[in-house]
Amino acid sequence: MKLYVGVDLGGTNIGAGVVDENGRILHKDEIPTGVGRPYQEIIKDMGDLIKKVIKNAGYVVDDIVSIGIGSPGVADKEKAFIVYANNLYWKHIPVGEELRKYVNLPVYIDNDANVAGLAEAVCGACQGYRNSVTITLGTGVGSGIIIDGKPYSGSHGAGAELGHMIVSVDGIECTCGNKGCFERYTSATALIREGKEAAKTHPESLIAKTVKGDLDKINAKVVIDAAKAGDEEGLKIFRRYIHYLTMGIITIINIFDPDIIAIGGGVSRAGDFLLDALNKEVEEHIFYKDLPHAKLCISELGNDAGIIGAAMLGKIN
Ligand SMILES: [Zn+2]
């Protein structure tokens, strides 16, 4: 059985795990990232963490094929560089070269959302399909596009940013500098924003009642639960949310025509309530009505997708 190390490099924590060739985590651990420190220090900590998880899994470095890293932002896969990672304050960091000072193994890097998509493709909801797209509905909207079993991120590593597809020209301002991006309408943040507005103007709504008027307590679940219970304001928000999500999914299908689209992130906990509404509206708006089209499903791996997918970079390379 071949073994790989996967590293989930985040702005808050660095997770690392030893993963077998089937995508099973044998052992994992995590440490705080401590952003703001020199990158050399952070990468040394990462090296120590990797050695620790290998040892605690009962192996030595020579048993491991490679190290894969899922990073926020843009990666240069060839050079194992992180080109740009906003929430780490990193630009043009030679991660591979630096990390090999501590653990001498091949290092692969890709964007964190891409590796999460790869994990779903290898051993999660998209297992067994050649072409898949995973979209993660959280604070923002992340996405991983897998074509012929490999993550696709374009010619410069900047691709697969489906969260920044523009679905409303001159719409709501986005953190990327444009207006009307998909994630402004389909993230958990969007549900919270609209839930707060509704609770303000309709204090009689279930959304306002659930949080007893404390608008800061409104989260995606509060809004979706209100819709489930048939609350008028909750349903209005949910229907609009499904409408925008459908338009994005239709666009993804029109461009990629994947076998399957997995939906993850906090909002996906709504499960069948979300899927049923989506399936219904996607059927109405699909272009080629006589052809089969991408199946929609809920992603399976949750937070482990980061470590698993990063590890699998070594398997597919
Ligand atoms: Zn944007």
Side-chain angles (χ1 to χ4, degrees), residues 116-130:
L118 178 61
E120 294 294 339
V122 173
C123 59
C126 307
Q127 191 179 359
Y129 296 99
R130 242 171 8 114

Side-chain angles (χ1 to χ4, degrees), residues 59-280:
Y59 295 96
V60 295
V61 171
D62 284 346
D63 294 325
I64 307 295
V65 177
S66 60
I67 298 167
I69 301 172
S71 156
V74 177
D76 181 329
K77 295 185 213 175
E78 304 293 315
K79 296 186 198 149
F81 257 58
I82 287 178
V83 178
Y84 181 73
N86 206 13
N87 47 1
L88 298 172
Y89 311 104
W90 281 9
K91 266 186 186 171
H92 298 284
I93 304 296
V95 179
E97 189 189 307
E98 192 67 25
L99 185 59
R100 276 192 294 268
K101 290 180 185 170
Y102 308 104
V103 198
N104 193 20
L105 288 170
V107 177
Y108 303 101
I109 306 183
D110 207 328
N111 169 274
D112 49 10
N114 292 347
V115 305
L118 178 61
E120 294 294 339
V122 173
C123 59
C126 307
Q127 191 179 359
Y129 296 99
R130 242 171 8 114
N131 303 316
S132 63
V133 175
T134 297
I135 54 178
T136 308
L137 310 172
T139 308
V141 172
S143 56
I145 297 163
I146 307 301
I147 298 176
D148 280 331
K150 291 195 172 188
Y152 178 80
S153 53
S155 299
H156 313 93
E161 291 287 358
L162 298 179
H164 298 280
M165 286 191 290
I166 291 168
V167 293
S168 175
V169 173
D170 297 329
I172 300 171
E173 274 185 30
C174 183
T175 49
C176 74
N178 281 321
K179 289 178 179 174
C181 294
F182 186 48
E183 73 169 33
R184 291 300 99 191
Y185 303 88
T186 59
S187 56
T189 310
L191 281 173
I192 295 166
R193 182 189 67 232
E194 300 203 351
K196 283 183 178 175
E197 282 165 18
K200 242 184 259 173
T201 48
H202 295 274
E204 80 289 357
S205 69
L206 186 56
I207 299 170
K209 282 182 187 161
T210 305
V211 296
K212 299 190 174 66
D214 183 354
L215 303 195
D216 288 335
K217 291 206 173 117
I218 293 174
N219 57 30
K221 188 175 185 298
V222 167
V223 178
I224 289 175
D225 283 350
K228 272 187 194 169
D231 175 66
E232 198 180 326
E233 293 308 311
L235 276 172
K236 246 191 252 172
I237 296 170
F238 184 69
R239 286 188 189 123
R240 188 164 52 229
Y241 181 85
I242 291 296
H243 187 58
Y244 276 102
L245 194 50
T246 300
M247 293 306 125
I249 286 172
I250 291 286
T251 304
I252 292 167
I253 291 174
N254 285 340
I255 297 171
F256 297 105
D257 181 27
D259 298 302
I260 186 163
I261 298 173
I263 298 167
V267 180
S268 73
R269 288 190 206 115
D272 286 344
F273 185 65
L274 183 78
L275 275 188
D276 291 348
L278 267 180
N279 275 321
K280 189 164 169 279

Side-chain angles (χ1 to χ4, degrees), residues 278-292:
L278 267 180
N279 275 321
K280 189 164 169 279
E281 201 168 332
V282 167
E283 288 301 330
E284 285 167 23
H285 291 276
I286 196 90
F287 183 5
Y288 292 107
K289 290 197 165 51
D290 298 333
L291 286 179

